[in-house]
Amino acid sequence: MAEIQFETKPATQFELFAGLESTSHEQIVFCQDNATGLKAIIAIHNTVLGPGLGGTRMWYYEHEKDAVRDALRLSRGMTYKAAVAGLNLGGAKAVIIGDPKTQKSEALMRKFGRFVNNLNGKYITAEDVGTTTKDMEYVNMETEHVVGLPESMGGGGDPSPVTAYGTYMGIKASAKQAYGNDSLAGKKVAVMGIGKVGWHLLEYLHKEGVKLFIADINESILKQAADEFGATVVSLGEIYGLDVDIFAPCALGGILNDQTLPQLKCSVIAGAANNQLEDETIHGNIIKEKGIVYAPDFVINAGGLINVYSEYTGYVRERAMAQTESIYQTILDINKLAIDANINTQIAAIKHAEKRINDMMLVHSTY
Ligand code: NAD
């Protein structure tokens, strides 16, 4: 699917629908409320499989078109993530324009909740960058179409441990693809980013006897992880070039690029970070040519989405974990698809998602 090219015309010639033709989004809602200062965009990409689910990001955007582009790009990603995870969910995302530190209020979040409610369940929201569980409690005062609520309110709580479990499953499947068996004992794994997901991932890897190398910008978390898991701390400059078996990016997006890929010595790249490839085709192909097994990010990190989906259908932690385990098989299936079609695994995962959506379109063609 083509990227959206809004920047090709000067602001005075900004043609919204022309930009949208290339993206095939179903619906885009612009939400405006002067009293609370709410300016939000809800982008619903595709609801063939079910209601569009995706978090609400609150961010200060210098240009409004950047907010539109973010909402369109992220909602498309949610469609693929849900489709590959086998969920009956479509893809959507919301963006609130504003500084979350200074411009957020109960009134703003509840007004946003009313806009969500007006979509009658076609869009289900959740927390994302710049919004919190508390914000979702406010949204929930105005609509039931919200997930990611605290356990005390019947929700699934923090999805990070489930995301970490799915990432661990994806690492094991990728190891099986690369080495013929999925045992990680004695393997050297470099984890970049020891946040909510990275920490839980270290727990799983440590339990299996992995030799851990870690990097982060947060010195204190590095010290804690070194003490707890016997991990070796390395600098951010060093981590790409380490002589390790597996590299697990769990911090930022865009880190697989022209600068970093030539440094890698690993046989597997498998981590939780979103949008790891700076360019899906160019950098996905370089990884393929280097013979590295790459676990597509939106496949391996779907545990969090599976967790909130489970909340939507009546939360049971065991069911969320069991469904997350299936990431192992999905990673193997996508590797086979990529090898058979001689394409990179990221593109194979997108094709896998599109096939499921197209198949279900046929199913839904009659009542
Ligand atoms: P987090 O904010 O808790 O942790 C991110 C970690 O990365 C922090 O420790 C931070 O210090 C570190 N970091 C930031 N900038 C860095 C840099 N330049 N170099 C190295 N480390 C840096 O986030 P998280 O919830 O653990 O998520 C990690 C990644 O996984 C993100 O890309 C996120 O989008 C993705 N993800 C998370 C979930 C989830 O359930 N939390 C689900 C799907 C995808």
Side-chain angles (χ1 to χ4, degrees):
M1 207 175 283
E3 266 294 321
I4 308 123
Q5 299 293 338
F6 283 131
E7 69 277 28
T8 53
K9 289 187 189 286
T12 49
Q13 294 176 35
F14 179 57
E15 289 176 10
L16 183 59
F17 281 94
L20 295 182
E21 278 167 15
S22 63
T23 75
S24 59
H25 280 72
E26 284 177 21
Q27 190 176 358
I28 298 157
V29 183
F30 289 84
C31 317
Q32 153 93 15
D33 179 63
N34 289 338
T36 58
L38 177 72
K39 281 188 175 48
I41 300 147
I42 301 172
I44 301 174
H45 178 251
N46 187 295
T47 58
V48 169
L49 298 178
L53 193 154
T56 296
R57 179 164 292 196
M58 185 163 183
W59 196 254
Y60 173 76
Y61 292 94
E62 206 171 329
H63 302 289
E64 288 176 1
K65 71 177 164 87
D66 295 334
V68 176
R69 189 189 294 112
D70 233 12
L72 296 179
R73 181 179 64 87
L74 294 166
S75 55
R76 168 185 175 261
M78 292 308 296
T79 296
Y80 290 145
K81 188 182 286 206
V84 173
L87 304 177
N88 292 322
L89 276 182
K93 199 88 182 181
V95 164
I96 299 177
I97 301 173
D99 183 343
K101 290 201 183 77
T102 57
Q103 288 173 273
K104 199 158 59 181
S105 64
E106 176 185 351
L108 181 133
M109 291 313 302
R110 291 182 68 164
K111 194 73 187 181
F112 174 70
R114 291 196 151 226
F115 279 101
V116 173
N117 200 49
N118 287 344
L119 288 163
N120 291 316
K122 188 174 181 186
Y123 170 57
I124 304 163
T125 197
E127 71 174 276
D128 196 72
V129 178
T131 59
T132 62
T133 314
K134 181 74 196 162
D135 297 327
M136 292 308 124
E137 285 181 39
Y138 289 137
V139 171
N140 189 219
M141 289 174 191
E142 305 297 333
T143 183
E144 65 188 42
H145 305 299
V146 52
V147 289
L149 294 169
E151 281 159 287
S152 58
M153 292 178 70
D158 179 11
S160 308
V162 187
T163 303
Y165 181 58
T167 306
Y168 172 60
M169 285 293 116
I171 291 176
K172 283 181 79 68
S174 301
K176 184 166 173 62
Q177 184 70 33
Y179 308 113
N181 78 73
D182 69 8
S183 169
L184 301 177
K187 290 265 183 305
K188 289 187 263 181
V189 180
V191 182
M192 180 184 182
I194 316 301
K196 293 193 291 289
V197 177
W199 182 273
H200 291 293
L201 178 62
L202 290 182
E203 288 176 334
Y204 286 114
L205 297 175
H206 178 62
K207 219 178 274 174
E208 205 179 322
V210 165
K211 287 185 194 146
L212 292 164
F213 298 82
I214 52 173
D216 197 293
I217 50 171
N218 181 338
E219 303 271 328
S220 82
I221 201 79
L222 285 173
K223 185 171 177 335
Q224 278 179 51
D227 292 346
E228 184 84 18
F229 307 114
T232 305
V233 175
V234 298
S235 73
L236 291 170
E238 266 176 298
I239 192 145
Y240 299 104
L242 286 182
D243 189 9
V244 293
D245 302 292
I246 298 166
F247 175 45
C250 294
L252 306 174
I255 55 117
L256 301 174
N257 54 44
D258 290 344
Q259 283 71 48
T260 58
L261 289 180
Q263 301 176 46
L264 295 181
K265 300 194 181 84
C266 58
S267 316
V268 170
I269 304 170
N274 271 314
N275 306 318
Q276 292 169 32
L277 295 165
E278 193 175 277
D279 183 291
E280 284 174 346
T281 305
I282 297 171
H283 300 113
N285 286 350
I286 293 175
I287 290 171
K288 174 176 174 283
E289 279 150 26
K290 281 173 83 86
I292 297 175
V293 174
Y294 173 64
D297 44 19
F298 67 88
V299 181
I300 191 169
N301 72 16
L305 180 63
I306 292 169
N307 196 57
V308 291
Y309 176 72
S310 182
E311 196 174 307
Y312 189 66
T313 52
Y315 189 72
V316 183
R317 183 68 155 211
E318 292 70 32
R319 197 176 60 204
M321 292 299 265
Q323 196 162 4
T324 298
E325 207 163 296
S326 68
I327 288 174
Y328 182 102
Q329 188 56 46
T330 308
I331 291 284
L332 291 179
D333 293 346
I334 284 166
N335 272 290
K336 181 169 183 332
L337 194 67
I339 291 164
D340 290 350
N342 194 25
I343 53 179
N344 78 52
T345 50
Q346 184 84 3
I347 303 297
I350 290 172
K351 286 190 182 299
H352 188 67
E354 285 173 345
K355 180 174 184 319
R356 180 159 178 253
I357 293 166
N358 289 334
D359 287 352
M360 292 311 118
M361 230 153 31
L362 297 176
V363 171
H364 294 169
S365 64
T366 51
Y367 188 67

